[in-house]
Amino acid sequence: MKTLTLLRHAKAGWGERGSPDFDRPLNEKGRRAARAMGRAMRDAALGFDLVVASPAARVTETLEGAGEGYGTAFDPVWDRRAYLAAPEVLLEIVQATDDAVDTLLIVGHNPGLELLTLHLTSEEDGGELRAAVLEKYPTGTLAEIHLPVDRWRDAAEGKGTLRRFLRPRDLDAALGPDGD
């Protein structure tokens, strides 16, 4: 059994006019959400053998904030391929993971994370959680997928079961949508 957790970066600001998308920082709400998600991961006793992350500023800041909430810093492998990655690229990252890793966390961007979640899980096993993903995969949200495989390369369409879909607003209504 392998466990894949996908964390979307928290809410970002737009940065300075003309600055590249890659350099967009978190806004204050995003920083609060990242810390809250870290606390939730700690409280749920989620642990990760490997963390792979996009090197974009909003992802690095999300991991810093989540680490503060978790109580220990995450030590990710920065992978440029994860920046704004299509679900096919994210699946390649998953399938190339060393089989000694049982719990993998990928931190990145939408729509890739949402589409990968939907690709790996089936409608029959998803229930309300999968319906929530179909509705929206907001910033700062975490999806946990259990894969009944021994080798990451066997992760494939519909094989996984969505076990957790946690949005910042589930932890604190003030972290929900407000039109910003």
Side-chain angles (χ1 to χ4, degrees):
M1 171 74 77
K2 302 291 186 188
T3 301
L4 172 63
T5 303
L6 303 173
L7 177 63
R8 184 177 176 197
H9 66 78
K11 186 78 174 167
W14 290 101
E16 295 181 28
R17 186 172 168 85
S19 64
D21 176 76
F22 189 85
D23 296 331
R24 288 177 48 211
L26 293 185
N27 63 21
E28 181 53 38
K29 184 177 183 179
R31 287 188 286 278
R32 288 192 329 265
R35 289 188 299 271
M37 291 305 289
R39 287 190 298 274
M41 288 189 289
R42 178 199 63 216
D43 293 347
L46 299 183
F48 310 103
D49 298 328
L50 177 64
V51 178
V52 176
S54 159
R58 58 194 180 271
V59 173
T60 62
E61 290 180 17
T62 296
L63 275 169
E64 289 169 6
E68 289 173 23
Y70 194 83
T72 187
F74 292 97
D75 185 21
V77 172
W78 303 108
D79 191 331
R80 180 72 184 207
R81 296 175 301 163
Y83 174 63
L84 301 179
E88 298 81 10
V89 173
L90 294 170
L91 184 58
E92 288 173 9
I93 292 170
V94 170
Q95 291 175 333
T97 300
D98 187 302
D99 292 329
V101 170
D102 288 324
T103 56
L104 171 63
L105 171 64
I106 296 179
V107 188
H109 312 266
N110 247 10
L113 295 176
E114 175 181 339
L115 295 173
L116 181 60
T117 299
L118 294 171
H119 176 78
L120 290 175
T121 59
S122 69
E123 292 181 36
E124 297 80 39
D125 289 335
E128 290 180 25
L129 294 178
R130 197 165 191 282
V133 174
L134 283 165
E135 180 183 322
K136 186 172 184 185
Y137 197 122
T139 53
T141 295
L142 178 145
E144 181 181 80
I145 302 165
H146 291 197
L147 295 158
V149 298
D150 293 323
R151 299 175 307 214
W152 287 105
R153 70 174 173 249
D154 295 332
E157 183 175 2
K159 279 201 170 182
T161 301
L162 186 59
R163 297 290 184 176
R164 188 182 320 262
F165 187 69
L166 184 63
R167 302 165 296 199
R169 71 176 177 216
D170 298 329
L171 305 173
D172 179 350
L175 297 175
D178 60 7
D180 64 355

